[in-house]
Amino acid sequence: MLIIFKLLGSLALLMFGMKSMSEALQKMAGPQLRHVLGAMTTNRFTGMLTGMLVTASVQSSTATTVMTVSFVNAGLLTLAQAISVIMGANIGTTLTAWIMSAGMSFDITSAVYPAFFIGIILIYLKKYRYIGDFLFGLSFLLLGLGTLRATGTEMHLGENQALLDFFASFDPDSFVTTLIFLVLGGILTFCVQSSAAVMAITMILCSSGALPIYQGIALVMGENIGTTVTSNLAALSANTQARRAALAHMFFNVFGVIWILFVFRPFIDMVCGWVGYDVTMQKGTVDTATFLANSAKLSFVLAAFHTTFNVANTFILIWFIPQIEKFVCWVIKPKTVDEEEDFRLHFITAGFMKTPELSVLEAQKEIQSFSERMQRMFGMVRELLTLSSSSNSKKDNQAGDFNKLFTRIEKYEGISDNMELEIAKYLDSVSDAHLSDETKAKIRAMLREISELESIGDACYNMARTISRKYNGKEDHFVEKQYDHIHQMMELTDQSLSQMNRLMGGRKEAFDVNRSFNIEHEINNYRNQLKQQNIVDINNHEYTYAVGTIYMDLINECEKLGDYVVNVVEARMGIR
């Protein structure tokens, strides 16, 4: 029982170390990597190299895929470019196997303790704490590998007759055996949710001499498919582009496994030759020391196969990216629902929230969509005002259109409430993770943004209700100059919303915040001017007090909306 717990505990250490190391790397380089990913994907080859470098840097192909999909959604990358990045990510993720093979081949557990000591000092030195987090993650990973290796040796797997008999029961020359281990590798990866853990188990079994190399490599191939099943299930609730990217990833790996099965043994023998592993050496034909020395090379064989397989597969498929794009677009059709009338978050998906630093980017895209929706809602209010100004003869004909538009505005108000709650809930779940100070500040700003955006929705709805009350009531029409003033105020408000959306969709460094402040001052001055004029016009009996009150309600609501817009701009720019 103690050995089993040591085995499970060392696997847990390995998985935790990999996760911690990946998150620390993303904290150090997250924003820069986003810019690199956006800038360095001019063609399929630079896209592939970018995907490879980014994944090798952050040690997470999931992180690269999440970034890539969000860029496709934002229109910064085409689906074809995204596919090339995902191909590169598959090569970059093989670096993990090399780190693990080094951990399996040498006893490095003694070296991790100084790394832990240095790591804790760096964590307390606030400036270098992410490097400390990285050292801790790497040390946990290597400690887990070392403990796993020691436990494997302690278990004497190579001398365990029951285990040897189990693997011997499969015909090593049979194609069916390869398929069985392929499926087993896929199922194990899907259940454990960690390809690194399955790779570590395979390395232990192979290097101890218990598992023949051909079955071990079949497990590695199954692991390649198992990891894509997870991402496809996660993408089921995602938008169309995310599901297409996940399907392209699965197609890439499945196609690779299919062609490798045709050249299975010659390909493996070639890789074994490169590493210097003797495939023909059998236990009992040579002395134990020579056999174990040969078996110790198996972890490097698995890492070399993983890299060679992914590089070869990328080299074959990189020429067919347009065809892969057509295929995934043909399989996954866009939804026909009117997305504006259907409340659903389009960028945030629970299944993809695996890397907190990058989840903030998804939330930013969702807030941008929220912001654009609020401007469309204001456009409907302007249209409602135009319909309400019709003469009595036209009023009967347009009553249906007016009520239909008012119902749409009501629906949008409900959507804005739901969007605020859902985005806030998502940001709350992201903030539970260990985040960099920069990301924590972004989350605080985003929570302020969504609160102000929801207030914009409330202001639009209040205006719509005021217009509806006047339309269905007995009050007189606004006089012509009142309509002119309201339209002018609404035009200024719409300009402020346009400026806000320009900021939300672009980079804040290139945004001139004074433009938003100037429009806000103009709105305030115009409101004050109209307030004074309204009192004069009522005293001159140009219209009734009741009409003047409704008129000023609309003007004041526009001014409030302008304040909310400025609050969003300040939150985005980091102005308190």
Side-chain angles (χ1 to χ4, degrees):
M1 283 297 289
L2 180 63
I3 287 176
I4 290 170
F5 279 124
K6 275 179 78 176
L7 190 69
L8 292 172
S10 55
L11 276 173
L13 260 182
L14 184 146
M15 289 162 72
F16 177 74
M18 179 61 70
K19 181 175 180 288
S20 302
M21 189 174 78
S22 174
E23 286 184 359
L25 283 164
Q26 287 170 53
K27 285 174 194 173
M28 285 192 279
Q32 288 76 15
L33 288 174
R34 289 175 210 161
H35 300 323
V36 166
L37 197 58
M40 286 183 60
T41 48
T42 49
N43 60 55
R44 65 184 81 180
F45 298 104
T46 55
M48 183 266 292
L49 284 170
T50 305
M52 186 173 73
L53 292 170
V54 168
T55 306
S57 300
V58 298
Q59 280 296 290
S60 171
S61 56
T62 303
T64 308
T65 306
V66 168
M67 278 195 288
T68 306
V69 169
S70 66
F71 279 136
V72 173
N73 285 332
L76 300 174
L77 289 181
T78 63
L79 184 60
Q81 287 171 321
I83 293 168
S84 70
V85 172
I86 289 167
M87 286 180 178
N90 265 35
I91 298 173
T93 198
T94 62
L95 180 63
T96 308
W98 286 103
I99 295 170
M100 292 172 69
S101 63
M104 288 290 178
S105 304
F106 311 105
D107 185 12
I108 45 176
T109 47
S110 303
V112 302
Y113 298 109
F116 276 129
F117 179 67
I118 295 165
I120 198 70
I121 292 171
L122 292 173
I123 285 170
Y124 280 105
L125 294 171
K126 200 173 179 184
K127 189 178 176 184
Y128 301 104
R129 70 182 180 281
Y130 302 137
I131 300 171
D133 286 342
F134 168 73
L135 277 176
F136 255 73
L138 182 61
S139 301
F140 275 127
L141 168 65
L142 296 175
L143 184 63
L145 283 169
T147 313
L148 200 61
R149 177 176 175 267
T151 309
T153 309
E154 200 178 321
M155 289 171 76
H156 303 292
L157 295 171
E159 294 162 25
N160 187 317
Q161 201 54 48
L163 193 66
L164 291 170
D165 289 343
F166 172 74
F167 288 128
S169 65
F170 295 96
D171 180 6
D173 299 320
S174 169
F175 181 69
V176 175
T177 300
T178 305
L179 288 179
I180 289 169
F181 278 86
L182 184 80
V183 172
L184 188 62
I187 292 168
L188 270 173
T189 306
F190 178 70
C191 294
V192 179
Q193 292 282 297
S194 169
S195 55
V198 178
M199 177 65 86
I201 294 166
T202 310
M203 284 181 174
I204 284 288
L205 289 169
C206 285
S207 55
S208 65
L211 181 66
I213 185 61
Y214 297 111
Q215 281 93 309
I217 282 177
L219 278 176
V220 172
M221 286 160 56
E223 167 218 307
N224 262 24
I225 295 176
T227 196
T228 64
V229 171
T230 308
S231 63
N232 271 274
L233 287 175
L236 283 177
S237 60
N239 53 50
T240 305
Q241 294 291 31
R243 287 183 291 126
R244 284 172 177 170
L247 180 63
H249 190 200
M250 178 180 262
F251 174 83
F252 175 83
N253 283 7
V254 170
F255 177 83
V257 167
I258 290 168
W259 73 257
I260 208 79
L261 286 172
F262 287 101
V263 290
F264 190 60
R265 284 182 176 260
F267 193 88
I268 294 170
D269 292 344
M270 176 187 73
V271 173
C272 289
W274 289 346
V275 177
Y277 172 76
D278 187 353
V279 189
T280 58
M281 189 181 290
Q282 296 292 321
K283 195 173 184 181
T285 58
V286 290
D287 60 276
T288 308
T290 309
F291 178 76
L292 289 175
N294 192 46
S295 295
K297 295 175 184 173
L298 279 171
S299 58
F300 286 108
V301 171
L302 288 168
F305 170 80
H306 200 207
T307 304
T308 311
F309 163 70
N310 279 298
V311 168
N313 199 27
T314 300
F315 182 75
I316 292 167
L317 287 178
I318 201 164
W319 311 101
F320 299 100
I321 286 176
Q323 287 75 19
I324 296 170
E325 182 184 20
K326 283 178 187 171
F327 171 72
V328 295
C329 290
W330 174 73
V331 173
I332 298 174
K333 304 282 195 299
K335 294 185 178 177
T336 51
V337 227
D338 182 356
E339 294 188 341
E340 288 310 315
E341 299 301 316
D342 168 48
F343 167 64
R344 189 173 67 83
L345 298 179
H346 301 296
F347 300 97
I348 290 173
T349 50
F352 270 111
M353 202 196 76
K354 297 194 178 179
T355 51
E357 292 287 327
L358 298 169
S359 300
V360 175
L361 185 65
E362 300 297 296
Q364 187 59 58
K365 299 295 173 197
E366 202 65 70
I367 293 170
Q368 184 186 336
S369 170
F370 188 4
S371 174
E372 289 166 357
R373 197 187 286 258
M374 290 303 95
Q375 186 166 13
R376 281 193 290 274
M377 185 180 181
F378 183 71
M380 291 179 207
V381 174
R382 295 181 75 181
E383 193 181 336
L384 196 73
L385 178 69
T386 305
L387 285 174
S388 74
S389 64
S390 306
S391 61
N392 287 331
S393 57
K394 290 182 180 177
K395 189 171 177 178
D396 296 334
N397 299 328
Q398 293 184 343
D401 293 338
F402 184 92
N403 292 329
K404 190 177 175 182
L405 187 56
F406 181 73
T407 305
R408 271 192 85 191
I409 294 169
E410 270 188 319
K411 191 170 184 179
Y412 262 63
E413 204 277 329
I415 287 173
S416 73
D417 290 344
N418 287 331
M419 286 190 84
E420 182 196 16
L421 291 173
E422 291 300 316
I423 297 170
K425 193 194 300 179
Y426 180 79
L427 288 171
D428 187 49
S429 62
V430 172
S431 62
D432 286 341
H434 298 293
L435 300 168
S436 63
D437 289 340
E438 183 191 357
T439 306
K440 285 176 185 171
K442 277 183 186 172
I443 288 176
R444 285 195 296 272
M446 286 178 182
L447 288 169
R448 186 181 165 197
E449 284 168 24
I450 58 172
S451 171
E452 299 296 342
L453 285 169
E454 195 276 333
S455 296
I456 290 174
D458 287 344
C460 289
Y461 183 52
N462 288 341
M463 280 190 269
R465 283 196 306 177
T466 302
I467 295 167
S468 177
R469 190 170 71 246
K470 181 186 172 303
Y471 182 78
N472 294 312
K474 295 178 182 177
E475 288 86 4
D476 295 333
H477 276 295
F478 290 136
V479 297
E480 192 176 337
K481 73 172 181 179
Q482 283 179 308
Y483 277 119
D484 289 342
H485 293 155
I486 296 169
H487 283 304
Q488 196 171 339
M489 178 61 101
M490 285 187 165
E491 179 58 36
L492 284 170
T493 310
D494 193 57
Q495 283 176 28
S496 70
L497 285 164
S498 297
Q499 284 294 312
M500 176 185 76
N501 280 317
R502 191 170 293 125
L503 169 63
M504 301 301 277
R507 294 186 64 174
K508 60 184 182 183
E509 294 82 9
F511 184 75
D512 180 12
V513 73
N514 290 322
R515 176 71 183 132
S516 289
F517 291 152
N518 290 341
I519 295 172
E520 168 59 10
H521 291 319
E522 210 173 327
I523 289 171
N524 288 344
N525 292 336
Y526 194 50
R527 188 274 313 263
N528 293 338
Q529 179 189 327
L530 293 179
K531 193 174 180 182
Q532 296 298 326
Q533 186 63 45
N534 180 57
I535 294 167
V536 173
D537 290 343
I538 291 170
N539 287 335
N540 292 336
H541 304 292
E542 293 191 27
Y543 44 80
T544 64
Y545 183 83
V547 170
T549 303
I550 294 172
Y551 163 66
M552 281 314 297
D553 282 348
L554 289 174
I555 297 295
N556 286 325
E557 209 63 59
C558 280
E559 192 276 330
K560 279 187 198 171
L561 198 154
D563 289 341
Y564 300 139
V565 168
V566 167
N567 291 342
V568 173
V569 169
E570 286 181 342
R572 180 83 174 94
M573 295 295 291
I575 302 168
R576 291 184 182 277

